[in-house]
Amino acid sequence: MLDFLGDLKRTHMCGAVRPSDSGQKAVLMGWVNRRRDLGSIIFIDLRDRSGVTQVVFNREQNAVLHDKAEQLRNEYVIAVIGQVKKRDADTFNPNIATGEVELVAEELRILNVSKQLPFLPSDTVLPNEEMRLKYRYIDLRRDAMQFNIETRHKVSMAVRDYLASQGFYEIETPFMTRSTPEGARDYLVPSRVQPGSFYALPQSPQLFKQILMISGFDRYFQIVRCFRDEDLRADRQPEFTQIDLEMTYPQQESVWAVVEGFLTAAFGAMGHKIKTPFPRMDYDEAIRQFGIDKPDLRLPAFTDVRDCFTAEDLQELAIHPDLPVIAIRTPKVGELSRKERDDIKPMFVAKGGARVFEDFKRISNKFPAAAAKIAEKAGMAENDLIVLVVGSAQIAASSEHAHRKVTPQELAIYASAGLLRVALAQKYAERHGLFVKTGDLEKDFRFVWVTNFPMYEWDESERQWMAAHHPFTSPHEEDMPKLENGAQTVKDPKSALSEVRARAYDVVLNGTELGSGSIRIHRQDIQSKIFQSLGMTDEEARTRFGFFLEALEYGTPPHGGIALGLDRIVMILAGADSLREVIPFPKTARAVDLMVDAPTPVSEAQLKDLGIQIKKPVG
Ligand code: ASP
């Protein structure tokens, strides 16, 4: 028989009872986390979101109550009225905040029972993830998940408070809208009243936030759900949350300062102090020094050690003399076994004509003079590993794209070296203590702004220029004339468009892109020109973005903004190792919600209403 709650009121949270409460009456409510039955004494660990208090039922003191407590099982929901008592010193539990007290029960109300559970929130060994996702409500009761979701709350609140303090308004934008241009597939919602027409769920509020600037709100933000129907890679979610903002009359630095401000607040909320302003790095520089546009600054940059070799050395080693010779230094790896050295080569993903010398040691035996110079130039210390990535002698150091600071051949070497640098760091992570779980407070947070991205990327399969960020990003003012030239030769990979720099920026933390944004185009003539350069006819542009092109014509102020992934930031701050750990109800890699079992087929009647017929896949 279950008891009613009646007019009973909770006096303390289970994690909040302290020795100073001794002698007081307390009413606690929560779940039976653990029950230890010692015959005449039953101990219950009573749990709520704040923690656990030990409750004692003593047969000698109250046999009826003790009998009732015998019915309790894991995850029953109970209310206990009792007296707080300081424990004897030898029974203190230093592992919990309430470890010096217990509640001596005087009355027990069993508010609800629980079936035998598929797993227990108190289990130390986790069941497989499928089980956790199916019974997410049980999984979420676990301490670790409670901590992750609390972290998420604290981070969101810190960001909100900070942005509000800087004059940003939180403004909602629609979920049922038309296709937005972030380059992924849209999730579509059929319209019943207009059969055959669809809303799209927003990939981002991009155009709405720009229109809010045209509407005079000056500073907008939103912690907003975005939807992208992509083939899910390991750690992606079809719906994810962005900290999205936009402001008028900004320089890039104004946006950066706002981001640095809210990240300081968010990291601060979790006890981390971060250093601002973040360093800044040109895209070209990032490629040349790290081979990637999201550099992990915890590891040393590349060193070009071409000049450490003589011309004869290079010839003998079949290394291209006019291309960079990249030394990757991975600190504190220690002595590698022969097998470990052999394992490095298969980690190498060669781009273009890049090659790898898997082991500096082997080179040093034959070319001691060069090796000594390399060690010095790359700042090699004891226990560091050096691996060289070079251009094959066969490839030509062509002058194609010579106007860009990095040629395609150089890019191939940098990019291959960049991947290997990260792979080596990960492989030896434990040895040099790098990628330790974020739970550690000494975590080394190395932020960087990467800027001056190219405006366009050439898509060889489409034979088409694509916007590297999105087509609303402003080119640098001094690169505008190249647009004129570029627009004439749209289909040419060597057109002047390759030189146009975007006023776009990414904020990167320890090799992970946290967010990206840009100063936008605020003039209709330039926006139209950009659409043209992307191979869009005026008519196409009008069909897809007519409303926006028109809005630009009614007094649009200069504006810019950014969006950062909230899920990823929370994941880092909670020390979690997957986005699914910080999203209360995530989807699997196949975009399925295992708890509610979505997506599902719908009834014929619903389809009929929508004027939709399902064509069964053939075969
Ligand atoms: N809308 C962009 C994105 O979601 C961010 C921005 O440009 O503000 O990546």
Side-chain angles (χ1 to χ4, degrees):
M1 263 298 270
L2 291 181
D3 301 306
F4 289 113
L5 181 60
D7 55 6
L8 200 57
K9 292 198 184 80
R10 171 162 76 175
T11 59
H12 294 70
M13 295 293 281
C14 295
V17 192
R18 292 289 178 277
S20 56
D21 299 316
S22 314
Q24 276 181 34
K25 267 244 166 357
V27 181
L28 302 188
M29 300 185 190
W31 283 274
V32 173
N33 194 52
R34 216 153 72 99
R35 161 174 168 268
R36 273 158 297 146
D37 193 337
L38 308 184
S40 64
I41 294 188
I42 295 173
F43 291 108
I44 298 290
D45 286 346
L46 190 62
R47 184 194 77 237
D48 63 23
R49 146 183 127 176
S50 66
V52 167
T53 288
Q54 172 167 290
V55 182
V56 193
F57 296 89
N58 195 328
R59 175 181 289 277
E60 273 167 29
Q61 279 167 14
N62 189 336
V64 178
L65 185 61
H66 181 275
D67 283 354
K68 189 168 185 183
E70 275 183 339
Q71 300 171 32
L72 297 179
R73 296 291 175 270
N74 286 323
E75 300 303 301
Y76 276 28
V77 181
I78 61 175
V80 186
I81 306 171
Q83 203 174 66
V84 180
K85 185 178 149 239
K86 191 155 185 219
R87 297 195 205 179
D88 296 335
D90 56 339
T91 62
F92 281 0
N93 177 355
N95 300 323
I96 54 173
T98 61
E100 294 185 15
V101 292
E102 58 193 11
L103 186 72
V104 180
E106 292 167 4
E107 188 187 332
L108 166 66
R109 296 192 195 176
I110 302 180
L111 304 175
N112 217 338
V113 292
S114 165
K115 284 208 305 191
Q116 175 104 33
L117 294 98
F119 58 94
L120 288 177
S122 56
D123 283 347
T124 38
V125 180
L126 285 182
N128 66 41
E129 197 177 15
E130 224 166 275
M131 185 75 98
R132 292 179 53 204
L133 291 175
K134 179 162 161 56
Y135 296 99
R136 190 58 158 179
Y137 38 89
I138 299 171
D139 187 46
L140 286 170
R141 286 183 198 168
R142 293 171 39 234
D143 280 352
M145 292 307 284
Q146 295 265 315
F147 172 77
N148 291 354
I149 302 304
E150 182 188 359
T151 303
R152 192 178 177 103
H153 161 75
K154 285 186 178 163
V155 169
S156 305
M157 290 309 285
V159 171
R160 272 208 169 84
D161 286 348
Y162 178 81
L163 289 174
S165 79
Q166 299 301 303
F168 285 81
Y169 287 175
E170 183 169 16
I171 308 177
E172 287 162 284
T173 51
F175 276 0
M176 291 163 65
T177 178
R178 57 184 290 148
S179 228
T180 40
E182 304 287 347
R185 260 189 223 107
D186 290 317
Y187 278 100
L188 298 176
V189 180
S191 158
R192 181 182 56 81
V193 281
Q194 291 182 51
S197 282
F198 295 81
Y199 303 96
L201 301 181
Q203 294 185 33
S204 90
Q206 186 61 35
L207 294 181
F208 283 104
K209 68 174 171 173
Q210 293 193 233
I211 286 178
L212 287 171
M213 296 304 98
I214 302 175
S215 313
F217 289 105
D218 203 70
R219 293 182 154 208
Y220 139 95
F221 87 97
Q222 195 178 185
I223 298 186
V224 64
R225 199 68 54 81
C226 300
F227 306 84
R228 296 185 191 174
D229 185 4
E230 292 174 292
D231 293 326
L232 296 186
R233 282 187 256 136
D235 205 12
R236 285 258 183 133
Q237 286 287 313
E239 47 179 311
F240 57 96
T241 304
Q242 290 200 321
I243 304 166
D244 191 51
L245 65 88
E246 197 74 10
M247 55 205 283
T248 42
Y249 311 112
Q251 297 297 338
Q252 301 191 96
E253 290 78 2
S254 338
V255 179
W256 302 347
V258 169
V259 172
E260 287 165 0
F262 77 65
L263 285 176
T264 300
F267 279 65
M270 296 309 296
H272 300 286
K273 204 169 157 26
I274 61 176
K275 239 176 84 196
T276 58
F278 303 157
R280 289 139 200 205
M281 188 180 293
D282 268 16
Y283 168 82
D284 284 335
E285 210 45 42
I287 297 296
R288 238 198 306 250
Q289 290 192 24
F290 301 94
I292 198 162
D293 58 3
K294 33 179 190 286
D296 189 337
L297 299 190
R298 293 171 303 174
L299 294 160
F302 296 157
T303 314
D304 186 345
V305 295
R306 183 172 10 182
D307 57 2
C308 299
F309 288 101
T310 63
E312 293 76 43
D313 293 346
L314 291 175
Q315 201 173 26
E316 197 175 333
L317 285 162
I319 294 176
H320 201 295
D322 303 323
L323 290 172
V325 174
I326 300 298
I328 304 170
R329 180 167 70 84
T330 315
K332 300 193 197 129
V333 170
E335 195 67 25
L336 293 190
S337 70
R338 205 201 147 92
K339 154 124 193 9
E340 284 173 318
R341 283 194 263 139
D342 288 340
D343 284 348
I344 293 176
K345 208 159 201 169
M347 290 162 69
F348 182 67
V349 186
K351 309 235 174 207
R355 274 168 50 205
V356 65
F357 285 96
E358 76 279 15
D359 180 16
F360 178 64
K361 214 168 173 176
R362 282 177 206 168
I363 294 207
S364 0
N365 292 339
K366 264 194 100 179
F367 304 90
K373 285 191 206 154
I374 292 172
E376 199 196 328
K377 192 167 182 193
M380 187 179 189
E382 210 184 319
N383 286 329
D384 289 1
L385 171 72
I386 284 197
V387 175
L388 300 183
V389 175
V390 306
S392 306
Q394 293 88 325
I395 59 165
S398 95
S399 59
E400 188 190 337
H401 285 250
H403 45 263
R404 277 285 301 282
K405 287 194 195 128
V406 181
T407 69
Q409 283 77 8
E410 287 171 345
L411 186 64
I413 294 170
Y414 291 133
S416 316
L419 293 176
L420 185 60
R421 173 176 172 274
V422 172
L424 285 169
Q426 266 157 1
K427 184 163 167 92
Y428 298 112
E430 271 165 33
R431 296 198 191 173
H432 48 68
L434 240 195
F435 296 102
V436 280
K437 290 260 288 211
T438 338
D440 304 337
L441 286 179
E442 311 85 283
K443 179 90 180 174
D444 185 12
F445 294 116
R446 301 286 294 272
F447 292 91
V448 57
W449 286 107
V450 180
T451 70
N452 290 324
F453 283 84
M455 177 84 186
Y456 297 93
E457 270 164 12
W458 177 254
D459 183 334
E460 187 53 40
S461 58
E462 299 277 321
R463 293 210 54 76
Q464 180 65 63
W465 287 102
M466 313 278 277
H469 185 50
H470 52 55
F472 308 99
T473 297
S474 172
H476 271 266
E477 285 166 12
E478 63 271 35
D479 292 345
M480 294 284 183
K482 293 177 184 153
L483 239 38
E484 311 283 355
N485 305 333
Q488 316 297 318
T489 52
V490 165
K491 304 255 174 211
D492 174 9
K494 290 187 213 153
S495 90
L497 292 183
S498 71
E499 296 172 58
V500 178
R501 288 162 307 155
R503 297 180 75 192
Y505 32 80
D506 280 2
V507 55
V508 173
L509 168 60
N510 295 350
T512 298
E513 181 204 307
L514 292 185
S516 52
S518 60
I519 302 298
R520 323 296 182 188
I521 298 161
H522 66 277
R523 274 171 41 187
Q524 197 269 353
D525 57 330
I526 299 175
Q527 187 65 71
S528 296
K529 212 178 280 177
I530 297 288
F531 284 150
Q532 266 169 30
S533 67
L534 294 168
M536 232 186 272
T537 63
D538 282 351
E539 205 190 317
E540 267 175 274
R542 229 171 299 118
T543 318
R544 290 183 59 193
F545 303 116
F547 71 100
F548 184 67
L549 286 171
E550 189 177 3
L552 285 177
E553 291 184 296
Y554 293 103
T556 298
H559 60 283
I562 193 164
L564 278 75
L566 175 72
D567 309 299
R568 180 137 281 129
I569 294 172
V570 173
M571 176 179 130
I572 291 167
L573 283 172
D577 47 22
S578 133
L579 295 177
R580 296 186 297 279
E581 298 294 314
V582 297
I583 297 176
F585 303 104
K587 297 191 175 51
T588 65
R590 297 194 55 235
V592 171
D593 180 329
L594 291 172
M595 186 180 76
V596 304
D597 187 21
T600 52
V602 295
S603 72
E604 275 305 322
Q606 277 171 297
L607 288 176
K608 204 167 153 226
D609 260 355
L610 296 168
I612 289 182
Q613 226 182 5
I614 305 292
K615 242 168 132 181
K616 292 269 180 297
V618 196

